[in-house]
């Protein structure tokens, strides 16, 4: 009987430690575009973590010094299992909600792409390439750029094209200066569309400056020092996707040709270090980023 009580206490303590680690990792994973902006909930998240630790300490003290009987051991063991089940259900629910949010964003961006014959799948292509590039960037440089947030920013980078008249989007000829001015405003239109979503605040500048150049001669003339690193990552992916895609006015270019062009503009249009990292990504991984709807 004593052995059984000891085993239950030991297993319960191990499960509680696992629960705390899982919860801690969960808290870290919620610092993204879908979860931030609800700072009042942060307090309760910390309180819940403190209670889990408090419960574990109490558990160990009772186990070591409380001389627990079988009923007490069962209650403690059951408690740790209960927390594990609640955590599992909660994490599963949040994962489902996040997946659904991404699906909704993909649907919305599908509407944007459908209005422009040159965009077919472009946004998803840029998203895939952005995330691949992100995974190759050294961890120290990725600091401050949440993976999920970057995924949404790259997917939604051209959402402002919803505000561009179709006659401009679909114009087969060269755009006039006035039309080009309207077209160049799509990053800010995108920011206006997404502004009501409070938690997207962090990624709005990433979207707004995705057409800026290091020389300060981008769409809004923003100098290099003020261009967010996330925007530079998206710009590299956007450039590669645009070069390798078929457009009504140009055939798709080969992977090698795209790298050559990107190297030529690195340091002026694109970040030099990012282009270097990008050029070392295996071709097979980049080819895998092409969505079915994209013609390359
Ligand atoms: Fe754009």
């Amino acid at each position: 009987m004593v052995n059984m009580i000891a085993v239950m206490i030991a297993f319960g303590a191990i499960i509680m430690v696992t629960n705390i680690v899982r919860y801690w990792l969960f808290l870290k994973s919620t610092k993204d575009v879908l979860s931030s902006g609800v700072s009042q909930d942060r307090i309760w998240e910390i309180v819940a973590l403190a209670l889990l630790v408090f419960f574990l300490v109490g558990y160990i003290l009772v186990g070591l010094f409380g001389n627990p009987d079988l009923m007490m051991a069962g209650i403690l063991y059951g408690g740790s299992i209960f927390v594990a089940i609640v955590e599992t259900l909660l994490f599963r629910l949040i994962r489902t909600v996040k997946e659904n949010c991404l699906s909704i964003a993909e649907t919305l961006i599908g509407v944007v792409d459908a209005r422009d014959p040159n965009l077919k799948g472009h946004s998803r292509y840029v998203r895939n390439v952005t995330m691949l590039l992100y995974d190759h960037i050294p961890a120290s440089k990725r600091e401050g750029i949440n993976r999920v947030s970057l995924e949404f920013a790259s997917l939604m980078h051209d959402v402002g094209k919803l505000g561009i008249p179709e006659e401009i989007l679909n114009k087969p000829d060269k755009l006039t200066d006035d039309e080009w001015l309207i077209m160049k405003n799509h990053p800010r239109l995108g920011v206006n569309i997404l502004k009501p979503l409070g938690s997207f605040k962090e990624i709005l500048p990433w979207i707004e400056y995705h057409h800026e150049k290091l020389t300060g001669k981008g769409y809004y003339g923003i100098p290099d020092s003020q261009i967010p690193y996330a925007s530079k990552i998206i710009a590299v992916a956007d450039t590669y996707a645009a070069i390798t895609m078929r457009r009504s006015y140009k055939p798709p270019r080969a992977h090698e040709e795209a790298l050559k062009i990107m190297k030529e503009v690195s340091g002026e249009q694109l970040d030099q270090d990012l282009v270097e990292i990008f050029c070392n990504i295996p071709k097979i991984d980049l080819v895998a980023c092409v969505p079915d709807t994209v013609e390359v």
Side-chain angles (χ1 to χ4, degrees), residues 240 243-244 253-263 283:
Y240 178 80
I243 297 172
T244 53
R253 307 277 190 98
H255 168 78
E256 293 72 18
E257 212 177 332
L259 296 191
K260 189 171 167 280
I261 296 169
M262 290 167 73
K263 279 178 190 165
K283 180 181 173 182

Side-chain angles (χ1 to χ4, degrees), residues 157-158 161 186-187 210-211 219 238:
H157 73 283
D158 271 345
K161 287 190 176 172
H186 77 263
H210 76 268
H211 280 296
Y219 280 14
D238 194 16

Side-chain angles (χ1 to χ4, degrees), residues 99-167:
E99 283 170 1
N100 287 345
C101 282
L102 192 60
S103 300
I104 292 168
E106 286 191 1
T107 306
L108 172 63
I109 222 63
V111 174
V112 178
D113 287 5
R115 294 180 71 236
D116 184 342
N118 284 314
L119 278 184
K120 274 192 302 182
H122 171 75
S123 301
R124 281 186 293 126
Y125 189 12
V126 173
R127 184 267 312 268
N128 296 347
V129 176
T130 298
M131 300 326 292
L132 182 62
L133 173 57
Y134 178 81
D135 290 338
H136 282 79
I137 295 171
S140 58
K141 290 209 155 196
R142 290 190 314 214
E143 226 167 275
I145 302 177
N146 179 278
R147 200 176 193 286
V148 176
S149 300
L150 184 64
E151 182 168 12
F152 272 83
S154 56
L155 185 63
M156 311 289 272
H157 73 283
D158 271 345
V159 73
K161 287 190 176 172
L162 268 176
I164 305 292
E166 278 190 42
E167 55 269 26

Side-chain angles (χ1 to χ4, degrees), residues 51-68:
L51 283 173
L52 282 176
V53 174
F54 178 75
F55 189 32
L56 174 67
V57 171
Y59 203 108
I60 292 169
L61 289 177
V62 170
L64 290 177
F65 309 112
N67 198 19

